[in-house]
Amino acid sequence: IVQSFKGHSEGINDVSWHSKCRFVATASDDKLIKLWDTNTGQCVREFSGHKDSVFCVSIDNLGGALLLSGGDDEQIKLWDVRDSAEVRT
């Protein structure tokens, strides 16, 4: 094991990693998306706004400034990674 990420209170449904940035994003049944620093294993951002499990997450391919998530609440959300803000639903 190179790195371990602990912090979700329920199961993880999806993981996204962009090779040009040092972050990993996780989507969980705890209704949260978390952004992890691959160097330290620490959670650096938390995104809340889904009303049910989050089943997918993707980091943008242009540099990692945006996340896209989908949940069992039937919503797709666009997030700004820099300030954890929801940009659009």
Side-chain angles (χ1 to χ4, degrees):
I1 296 176
V2 175
Q3 190 60 266
S4 184
F5 308 100
K6 296 180 183 178
H8 282 288
S9 63
E10 295 187 36
I12 295 171
N13 298 314
D14 196 21
V15 175
S16 179
W17 175 63
H18 188 283
S19 62
K20 295 188 183 198
C21 67
R22 67 175 204 255
F23 300 109
V24 169
T26 53
S28 174
D29 285 334
D30 63 9
K31 305 176 191 173
L32 297 174
I33 300 129
K34 293 193 178 202
L35 191 69
W36 307 87
D37 185 315
T38 57
N39 294 330
T40 66
Q42 298 296 309
C43 179
V44 294
R45 295 269 190 279
E46 187 173 278
F47 305 84
S48 62
H50 281 284
K51 295 180 173 117
D52 208 337
S53 297
V54 185
F55 58 78
C56 62
V57 65
S58 182
I59 299 174
D60 80 85
N61 291 330
L62 300 175
L66 297 171
L67 288 177
L68 192 63
S69 63
D72 281 336
D73 57 4
E74 301 179 354
Q75 293 188 352
I76 297 170
K77 294 183 180 284
L78 183 65
W79 307 89
D80 186 324
V81 170
R82 295 165 289 199
D83 60 5
S84 304
E86 183 179 324
V87 176
R88 184 168 296 184
T89 297

